[in-house]
Amino acid sequence: MSMRILARGAAAALAAGTLAVLGLSAPTAQAAPQTTSAPQTTGASQTYVAMGDSYSAGSGILPLDPAASLLCVRSTANYPHVLAARTGMALTDVTCGGAQTKDYAGSQYPGVAPQLNALGANTGLVTMTIGGNDNSTFIDAILACGSAGVATLGFGHPCKSLYGSTFTDQVDTGTYQAVKSALAAVRAKAPNARVAILGYPWIVPAAAVPGCFARLPIASGDVPYLRDLQTHLNAAVKRAAGETGATYVDVSGVSDGHDACQPVGTRWIEPILFGTNFVPVHPNALGESRLADRTAAVLGLG
């Protein structure tokens, strides 16, 4: 079998496997109704509502939250649970893997309520990561660059050559405004809340790391290309936060050196292959705990 055939087969397996694990296709069966980890009260006490996508949900980390739809792949080790346990806040967790900004106002899956429904006048704190799934920008880039990297056996920058500014253009034309609108909707539903939105921790290092291609099959020249895309996405999230009065939790500094190319015990993000989570390219338990640390520090929580 030629190297070209091997590369083509590996690329197809990578794409199919990643899509299957991330659960990005629409569900064919109706999900069980979603319940929150701790329903909000109607009294004077304020609650903490966690919203957002799989980086907030801790998708891929066991144990799963029994209060959530299985389609959300929510973990009880996610940063909202860690933060709530550390501060003693009453948590309502409506995070859901695969969430886009449109799922704030609409039902993401059958039986899963719009995330905005969890908010109210008694909401005191809201946290989230959101935007990475809008336009499928993140997953499309990972799949495209992974497939291209396998096809060139890790050499060159095939993804950058093929796609150029496509992904960053999508962030500029769609994601930024969508995140801004989502934050405005949160503010309208929870006028008394402090709203914090986290940036995404680094998935790839600033430059290719020897030996990483076997676990994260991105061509060496495309590693900085993906890093730049993530820089662009986080900048759009930060801009949206600044224009809506939300607090931006910058995790770029603390997550540097903890990307998916690092060894177990150092990395916060699991690679595509040979990782410890059942959902790749997502934070592990250490990463979620460190995101909670950073959020607490920025917000001045205990």
Side-chain angles (χ1 to χ4, degrees), residues 176-274:
Y176 152 70
Q177 187 58 55
V179 173
K180 182 178 177 180
S181 297
L183 287 170
V186 168
R187 174 62 62 204
K189 289 279 290 185
N192 302 312
R194 187 173 186 184
V195 179
I197 183 168
L198 284 69
Y200 289 89
W202 294 120
I203 295 173
V204 297
V209 174
C212 185
F213 182 74
R215 288 174 284 137
L216 195 68
I218 307 296
S220 58
D222 282 330
V223 171
Y225 174 69
L226 279 179
R227 176 95 167 195
D228 180 67
L229 169 61
Q230 192 173 348
T231 300
H232 210 82
L233 175 62
N234 282 338
V237 171
K238 181 179 181 180
R239 180 184 171 195
E243 293 177 358
T244 55
T247 298
Y248 176 66
V249 180
D250 188 348
V251 301
S252 58
V254 295
S255 67
D256 201 18
H258 299 283
D259 53 79
C261 287
Q262 307 308 316
V264 174
T266 299
R267 67 178 182 244
W268 297 359
I269 306 294
E270 289 303 304
I272 292 175
L273 303 170
F274 311 112

Side-chain angles (χ1 to χ4, degrees), residues 107-178:
S107 177
Q108 183 176 348
Y109 299 122
V112 176
Q115 293 193 23
L116 287 172
N117 287 11
L119 302 175
N122 65 328
T123 304
L125 173 66
V126 180
T127 65
M128 70 187 78
T129 51
I130 198 70
N133 293 320
D134 280 50
N135 310 306
S136 299
T137 300
F138 239 2
I139 187 60
D140 282 355
I142 293 293
L143 290 175
C145 293
S147 297
V150 169
T152 63
L153 302 180
F155 295 102
H157 46 76
C159 195
K160 180 179 180 180
S161 297
L162 283 169
Y163 297 98
S165 66
T166 298
F167 301 118
T168 52
D169 288 347
Q170 288 174 354
V171 171
D172 289 340
T173 59
T175 305
Y176 152 70
Q177 187 58 55

Side-chain angles (χ1 to χ4, degrees), residues 74-95:
R74 184 195 302 154
S75 171
T76 56
N78 63 9
Y79 75 76
H81 276 78
V82 175
L83 187 61
R86 196 171 296 171
T87 60
M89 293 183 292
L91 172 65
T92 297
D93 189 349
V94 294
T95 59

